[in-house]
Amino acid sequence: MSTEPEFKERLSNSYLFGSNAPYVEELYESYLEDPASVPDQWRTYFDQLQHLPATDGNEQTRDQAHAPIIESFAQRAKANAFLVHAAAPDLTVASKQVSVQSLIAAYRSLGARVAQLDPLKRQDRPQIPELDPAFYGLTEADLDQVYSATNTYFTKADTMTLRDMLKALRDTYCQSIGAEFMYISDPAAKRWIQERLEAGGVPAFPAQRKRNILQQLTEAEGLERFLHTKYVGQKRFSLEGGESFIASMDEVVNHASESGVQEVIVGMAHRGRLNMLVNIMGKMPGDLFAEFEGKHPDGLTDGDVKYHNGFSSDLSARGGPVHLSLAFNPSHLEIVNPVVEGSTRARQDRRGDEDGSQVLPVLVHGDAAFAGQGVVMETLNLAQTRGYGTGGTLHIVINNQIGFTTSDPRDTRSTLYCTDVVKMIEAPVFHVNGDDPEAVVYVTQLALDYRQKFRHDVVVDIVCFRKLGHNEQDTPALTQPLMYKSIGKHPGTRKLYADKLVAQNVLTEEEAEQMVKDYRLVMEDGKRTIEPVLTDHKSKYATDWTPFLDAKWTDQADTAVPLTELTRIGEKLTTVPEGFTVHPLVNRLLNDRRAMARGELPLDWGMGEHLAFATLVASGYPIRITGQDSGRGTFTHRHAVLHDQKRERWNDGTYIPLQNVSPNQGSFTVIDSVLSEEAVLGFEYGYASAEPNTLTIWEAQFGDFVNGAQVVIDQFIASGEAKWGRYCGLTMMLPHGYEGQGPEHSSARIERFLQLCADNNIQVVQPTNGAQIFHLLRRQMIRPFRKPLVIMTPKSLLRNKDAGVPLSQLAEGQFQPVIGEVDASIDPAGVTRVLACSGKVYYDLVNARKEAQRNDVAIIRVEQLYPFAHKAFETELRKYGNAKEVVWVQDEPQNQGPWFYIQHHLYENMAAGQKLGYAGRPASSSPAVGYLAKHQEQQRQLLEQAFSAKHKGFTLTK
């Protein structure tokens, strides 16, 4: 018999492994069933295996054949013999876990409803059944049970007792902060807010930080009380009751600087504005006091009240220097919002700040205006668009729970919160009790961090009160006796917080009072700034306006371009990339424009405009044009954006020739805007006011719709320079002309613009051919004269062959404010009547004169209505010494159009004895008739009146 070592050696022989293994295993199975069934040699070998320990370590255990066992398992499986019939599970625990999750979701969604937000505690907090554990079947017995906390951030552990979880939910969502964010569709944004609120909450600020917060409250209260006693009864729109706003703005500047923000652009209304100027922006108190005393700087023709004025300064913040700019603001609440956004976008574009990380817009609202003014919604709608986005805006609401004299919630609005409008863009809202300044500072940090991370709007709603009336001359208790009884008992936010810090041993009561006295001394001195202003800081991104300060409207500009350059650029404008398929109609237009650029066809308006844009960008001037149809043009004349007819993706397949004119050219941006006039025009005004070196254009779909933005025109465009000294080169294109399209598609209300004209404040122009628009647009940039340009653009003239001009007019000459008679067959000595007009009616008059063979009538075009070019008009008029009559002809009704504005200008340049007359539509309350037949009849009558042998109607003899 073999020894154990010998046997082990045999076990290691190769015939037991590899391809032999199945054969050996089969022999062994046969041996186990019947040892005599295998050859003797194998039987001896297998017998020896039986003396080795089995898998249980026992040498007595015999191996079992595998095949019968495997077959047995197979048969049992077929018969479901392995199925275990378990007892019915107890789902109670799982059900309660679901209830806990529902409770968590309820607090995240509804906790703000019962948060302690109102410093006046005017109303009982509502009963919200979904916030009661009993609503979900949870009882007192469940409070100490442990449940999963994996989808919360209250603890690092996986579980919490329901009691602890409930306390954490109430502390997070129902105390001084009420958060609304569960409507956000981005899961990452929601989780981020949940984690920030639940994992940390209001931090335990260090003692020095708490002292700084108290200092901000002391300054806010101190300024108001100083002004209240020094300038009794004067309007200042006090911040008293909302002092925490100053603590919030201080945190905005400092915390934003820590995340890379270098500029903060602020828009706000009256409430707290003076406090902002002195205590945040570092305006010298003495300068503010001078304004209260009626003193004002020289140089402004009109000026404005002190609580409308803007300001800018460079501040030393925790993260480095920050340029802080407060926009000038009229009394029209919230209208500054789009202006700030436009100014912000211009500054971002200048820096190449594509994601908005360096320039931050901050809009400060009143609660009533935020809910009530439509421009709020219009501006919010711009937030995430390509042409108007600014990387997110921080909104701060000074929510004093009253608008003028309206505080009854049945009258204030139709929404639960004044901030509900922001839910349309899914902006989170952090409501916060103004009497908890630490919570105010915390949510300000939270909101800024959210904006910087997600590039989205966010709202901080500071719920506070208004200690005095709407202004300091009001007696608010006349209409709000109950509210002002509560306010009369309120000690003030500063006092509450000072007492809290005294109780915490952060400082003594004497130290808190010394802060008040020290600030009073600074006010009485008036010569020290409150904030650390950097007087010698100069940013490389600052705009230099000095070249534009002394320019006059009569200054000339060389706007001509050599023919060779026009032809070269024309080829660029009409060439599309290989494989790019344009629409057949567009292809025909490009072919025509190519011929125009070669001088083979008369130049139309669209090509004149295109060549103006192209030559400007080729010279390095950026261009930005926006409007509801600006890419194509309302009347399909522009086609600045070409569309590949075979494109396969919705966001691909466009080509903009004006972006491919020359190497190192200026940028060309064309935006089809959202369907808004007020917000978009306000945005472009803000952009142009911050960027004088860009040709910024807003184009109305029809000029008639511009009155939807009348506030922007009246309060900013027409009067901004006179009130605030703000220069702006914004260009407005307003399609205007009587074509029989009815009351809302005929008139840009030119009379309204002319009524606003004074002090050389704006330019109102009505060009009549492609050469004029070419030179006009180029003049707007090349001449260092930055005033708003209002262009009455044509409709039918876009394709009127009579309005075509030779290419040579672009290579010579300049914009002509007045165009005299161009028909060489008209003998000046034989002219007895001069027709003066502006716009499309000129071509109607030319054709009517030709048809009537009236060579005794000369026609003068006034292309620039304001400023009126007296010398140029007088020069043309004096050519006709025998003319007895000067007749103004217009399309518009007599009480509209230029007539009432222009008649005294015409009269001034007439010779003694000449008669001034009017030919046009009769006065009307509507801009135009709606019936085509009546339109045509009126058109026939005005032409007949212009050429009648004896002029009828109004006459004035000089």
Side-chain angles (χ1 to χ4, degrees):
M1 188 172 179
S2 301
T3 63
E4 185 171 339
E6 291 174 335
F7 187 70
K8 288 182 177 179
E9 182 180 350
R10 293 176 66 183
L11 277 177
S12 66
N13 289 340
S14 61
Y15 64 80
L16 297 176
F17 301 96
S19 59
N20 294 325
Y23 169 70
V24 175
E25 184 174 358
E26 184 178 349
L27 285 176
Y28 190 56
E29 289 283 318
S30 300
Y31 166 82
L32 290 175
E33 186 176 353
D34 179 8
S37 64
V38 299
D40 292 344
Q41 182 182 1
W42 283 105
R43 178 180 176 182
T44 302
Y45 172 68
F46 291 146
D47 284 342
Q48 293 176 4
L49 285 179
Q50 306 313 308
H51 298 289
L52 292 176
T55 54
D56 62 357
N58 190 346
E59 291 186 13
Q60 305 303 317
T61 303
R62 300 281 296 176
D63 267 355
Q64 299 295 318
H66 292 180
I69 297 173
I70 294 173
E71 178 63 19
S72 173
F73 272 93
Q75 294 300 321
R76 294 186 68 189
K78 289 179 182 180
N80 276 340
F82 297 111
L83 180 63
V84 178
H85 297 279
D90 183 0
L91 297 178
T92 304
V93 174
S95 175
K96 290 192 175 184
Q97 182 64 57
V98 171
S99 296
V100 170
Q101 296 302 319
S102 298
L103 184 65
I104 294 169
Y107 270 89
R108 287 169 173 171
S109 298
L110 301 172
R113 295 283 305 278
V114 296
Q116 300 175 27
L117 301 176
D118 184 4
L120 301 179
K121 302 179 176 64
R122 293 192 304 145
Q123 295 182 355
D124 293 333
R125 292 193 288 176
Q127 296 296 318
I128 309 294
E130 289 84 354
L131 301 181
D132 186 347
F135 182 83
Y136 306 97
L138 297 169
T139 67
E140 185 75 22
D142 298 310
L143 291 178
D144 294 313
Q145 296 298 314
V146 174
Y147 296 97
S148 172
T150 53
N151 75 328
T152 70
Y153 302 92
F154 298 122
T155 177
K156 293 182 179 179
D158 293 333
T159 60
M160 293 177 72
T161 65
L162 179 57
R163 188 184 303 279
D164 290 343
M165 187 175 294
L166 197 58
K167 181 180 185 304
L169 287 167
R170 289 169 176 168
D171 288 347
T172 301
Y173 294 109
C174 305
Q175 296 300 318
S176 295
I177 299 169
E180 290 189 285
F181 61 94
M182 290 300 286
Y183 45 79
I184 297 174
S185 57
D186 180 3
K190 277 195 289 195
R191 284 195 300 270
W192 185 90
I193 294 173
Q194 290 167 5
E195 183 172 5
R196 286 292 297 268
L197 289 172
E198 296 174 4
V202 180
F205 289 115
Q208 186 55 44
R209 192 69 180 281
K210 293 182 178 182
R211 283 173 170 266
N212 181 67
I213 294 172
L214 179 61
Q215 181 64 38
Q216 300 301 319
L217 299 177
T218 303
E219 293 170 1
E221 181 185 86
L223 176 67
E224 300 297 350
R225 294 194 173 182
F226 181 83
L227 294 176
H228 193 66
T229 54
K230 187 174 178 65
Y231 303 103
V232 179
Q234 286 204 40
K235 286 185 182 181
R236 68 178 193 275
F237 298 95
S238 167
L239 185 62
E240 288 175 277
E243 293 91 345
S244 287
F245 166 70
I246 293 300
S248 176
M249 278 306 308
D250 181 72
E251 191 62 24
V252 167
V253 175
N254 284 290
H255 194 62
S257 70
E258 294 174 318
S259 64
V261 172
Q262 298 176 37
E263 288 190 73
V264 178
I265 317 302
V266 182
M268 67 180 296
H270 316 60
R271 182 80 48 211
R273 191 178 181 93
L274 302 183
N275 220 304
M276 169 85 173
L277 287 167
V278 171
N279 289 323
I280 295 297
M281 303 192 70
K283 183 171 184 173
M284 195 74 71
D287 293 342
L288 176 64
F289 303 156
E291 294 174 10
F292 271 95
E293 294 160 9
K295 301 172 185 176
H296 58 83
D298 298 328
L300 295 180
T301 58
D302 296 323
D304 204 350
V305 293
K306 52 190 170 291
Y307 41 81
H308 287 175
N309 290 326
F311 194 74
S312 63
S313 58
D314 295 294
L315 303 177
S316 176
R318 288 198 300 262
V322 172
H323 179 76
L324 186 58
S325 179
L326 176 63
F328 291 84
N329 187 81
S331 285
H332 293 64
L333 298 173
E334 305 293 338
I335 193 63
V336 77
N337 297 0
V339 176
V340 166
E341 299 294 348
S343 177
T344 300
R345 178 63 180 260
R347 296 162 194 260
Q348 291 172 345
D349 288 350
R350 189 160 60 234
R351 289 171 170 268
D353 181 18
E354 294 184 2
D355 64 353
S357 60
Q358 300 174 40
V359 186
L360 169 71
V362 177
L363 295 177
V364 182
H365 313 272
D367 52 313
F370 198 44
Q373 295 294 318
V375 71
V376 172
M377 183 281 293
E378 287 193 27
T379 306
L380 289 170
N381 194 39
L382 302 177
Q384 296 298 312
T385 61
R386 291 184 297 172
Y388 307 96
T390 53
T393 298
L394 172 62
H395 301 267
I396 301 176
V397 182
I398 302 177
N399 185 351
N400 50 41
Q401 309 182 72
I402 186 171
F404 293 96
T405 59
T406 304
S407 63
D408 191 319
R410 295 171 297 182
D411 303 321
T412 52
R413 57 185 174 266
S414 295
T415 58
L416 181 61
Y417 298 108
C418 67
T419 56
D420 282 347
V421 66
V422 304
K423 293 175 182 177
M424 65 176 276
I425 61 167
E426 299 187 357
V429 180
F430 301 107
H431 308 281
V432 59
N433 190 322
D435 271 357
D436 188 345
E438 291 182 18
V440 171
V441 170
Y442 166 69
V443 296
T444 302
Q445 294 175 350
L446 178 63
L448 280 168
D449 290 345
Y450 181 89
R451 187 268 180 186
Q452 290 296 87
K453 181 172 181 62
F454 295 100
R455 306 298 174 202
H456 204 285
D457 286 37
V458 59
V459 181
V460 173
D461 176 28
I462 304 175
V463 184
C464 51
F465 58 91
R466 188 187 72 192
K467 183 174 182 179
L468 305 176
H470 173 66
N471 63 62
E472 287 62 41
Q473 298 168 359
D474 286 346
T475 304
L478 292 174
T479 51
Q480 270 77 29
L482 186 60
M483 171 184 269
Y484 276 83
K485 188 178 293 183
S486 298
I487 291 173
K489 297 176 182 177
H490 194 286
T493 304
R494 186 208 64 83
K495 181 68 167 63
L496 287 175
Y497 190 58
D499 290 348
K500 176 181 177 180
L501 297 192
V502 170
Q504 293 176 349
N505 294 320
V506 172
L507 78 175
T508 64
E509 189 173 343
E510 291 73 22
E511 288 175 312
E513 288 304 314
Q514 190 61 43
M515 284 184 175
V516 176
K517 295 175 183 178
D518 290 345
Y519 186 81
R520 178 85 185 187
L521 291 175
V522 173
M523 289 297 100
E524 290 174 349
D525 177 64
K527 296 179 181 178
R528 286 182 287 162
T529 60
I530 305 304
E531 293 296 316
V533 177
L534 304 173
T535 55
D536 57 349
H537 180 74
K538 182 70 173 179
S539 170
K540 66 178 181 179
Y541 297 107
T543 300
D544 183 11
W545 285 88
T546 53
F548 311 104
L549 299 183
D550 298 320
K552 299 178 177 60
W553 79 267
T554 52
D555 292 345
Q556 300 300 307
D558 182 8
T559 56
V561 176
L563 284 173
T564 53
E565 177 66 0
L566 292 171
T567 301
R568 181 195 74 81
I569 287 178
E571 291 293 331
K572 289 284 188 179
L573 294 178
T574 55
T575 301
V576 297
E578 186 176 350
F580 192 97
T581 305
V582 298
H583 193 280
L585 293 177
V586 176
N587 189 55
R588 186 170 66 186
L589 176 138
L590 294 178
N591 290 334
D592 287 346
R593 285 183 176 174
R594 189 176 298 110
M596 293 174 193
R598 295 170 180 170
E600 298 167 359
L601 283 178
L603 189 92
D604 65 12
W605 178 283
M607 187 55 171
E609 180 191 84
H610 247 66
L611 287 172
F613 292 156
T615 53
L616 284 172
V617 296
S619 299
Y621 291 103
I623 294 176
R624 173 185 170 89
I625 176 170
T626 74
Q628 290 159 20
D629 248 340
S630 291
R632 183 199 66 172
T634 301
F635 311 101
T636 66
H637 80 285
R638 180 171 295 127
H639 292 288
V641 181
L642 305 181
H643 296 269
D644 189 345
Q645 298 300 301
K646 295 183 179 179
R647 70 182 179 194
E648 297 178 354
R649 292 174 56 86
W650 66 270
N651 58 352
D652 198 4
T654 59
Y655 178 71
I656 302 176
L658 284 162
Q659 294 178 348
N660 298 275
V661 173
S662 298
N664 304 315
Q665 68 170 69
S667 63
F668 179 82
T669 302
V670 57
I671 300 294
D672 289 335
S673 77
V674 300
L675 198 62
S676 160
E677 283 78 36
E678 187 173 39
V680 174
L681 181 58
F683 187 101
E684 301 305 339
Y685 171 84
Y687 195 104
S689 297
E691 185 45 81
N693 298 310
T694 295
L695 177 60
T696 306
I697 302 172
W698 178 75
E699 181 179 48
Q701 187 184 63
F702 279 82
D704 310 66
F705 305 145
V706 72
N707 59 8
Q710 197 65 46
V711 175
V712 179
I713 296 165
D714 292 346
Q715 313 311 131
F716 291 97
I717 293 171
S719 59
E721 182 181 350
K723 294 188 295 188
W724 311 315
R726 304 303 291 170
Y727 287 79
C728 175
L730 175 66
T731 296
M732 299 170 63
M733 289 184 169
L734 310 177
H736 173 88
Y738 282 64
E739 319 278 3
Q741 292 185 286
E744 276 75 55
H745 295 84
S746 298
S747 174
R749 293 292 194 170
I750 193 170
E751 66 278 357
R752 292 181 177 171
F753 288 97
L754 294 173
Q755 186 184 40
L756 295 170
C757 291
D759 307 317
N760 293 330
N761 60 333
I762 61 176
Q763 309 161 83
V764 181
V765 184
Q766 191 164 205
T768 53
N769 62 49
Q772 284 287 85
I773 190 63
F774 172 85
H775 289 295
L776 177 63
L777 291 172
R778 285 180 53 78
R779 185 184 76 168
Q780 182 70 352
M781 291 309 296
I782 295 172
R783 184 175 65 169
F785 183 76
R786 292 297 178 265
K787 300 292 180 81
L789 171 61
V790 182
I791 308 174
M792 301 293 152
T793 55
K795 292 181 281 189
S796 64
L797 287 191
L798 295 171
R799 293 171 179 81
N800 190 328
K801 294 188 182 302
D802 293 339
V805 295
L807 184 67
S808 59
Q809 289 193 15
L810 278 59
E812 56 193 32
Q814 58 188 6
F815 175 76
Q816 298 174 267
V818 176
I819 300 178
E821 180 58 69
V822 297
D823 189 340
S825 68
I826 302 297
D827 180 9
V831 171
T832 60
R833 179 181 295 175
V834 175
L835 302 180
C837 65
S838 183
K840 176 193 76 73
V841 74
Y842 165 75
Y843 294 99
D844 298 330
L845 292 171
V846 168
N847 291 328
R849 180 178 65 179
K850 183 178 180 180
E851 184 178 336
Q853 299 181 346
R854 291 291 302 276
N855 289 342
D856 61 334
V857 176
I859 306 173
I860 299 175
R861 277 175 278 177
V862 179
E863 301 275 292
Q864 180 170 293
L865 292 159
Y866 187 83
F868 189 81
H870 281 279
K871 291 183 179 179
F873 184 81
E874 184 181 23
T875 298
E876 293 301 326
L877 188 58
R878 284 186 176 180
K879 293 178 180 179
Y880 311 105
N882 297 323
K884 302 299 182 183
E885 297 173 309
V886 177
V887 179
W888 175 257
V889 187
Q890 67 179 35
D891 274 329
E892 302 86 356
Q894 187 172 9
N895 60 324
Q896 300 170 35
W899 168 237
F900 284 140
Y901 153 81
I902 208 167
Q903 56 183 266
H904 74 275
H905 291 301
L906 302 177
Y907 185 83
E908 182 179 333
N909 290 284
M910 287 165 48
Q914 284 184 323
K915 293 182 178 180
L916 175 63
Y918 166 83
R921 286 175 166 81
S924 171
S925 59
S926 174
V929 297
Y931 305 117
L932 181 59
K934 192 167 185 178
H935 162 80
Q936 293 170 339
E937 176 60 21
Q938 287 184 341
Q939 189 74 9
R940 183 192 64 77
Q941 289 177 357
L942 79 84
L943 293 174
E944 185 179 279
Q945 188 180 4
F947 290 101
S948 62
K950 186 175 181 181
H951 184 73
K952 299 178 182 180
F954 172 87
T955 57
L956 178 65
T957 303
K958 185 168 182 179

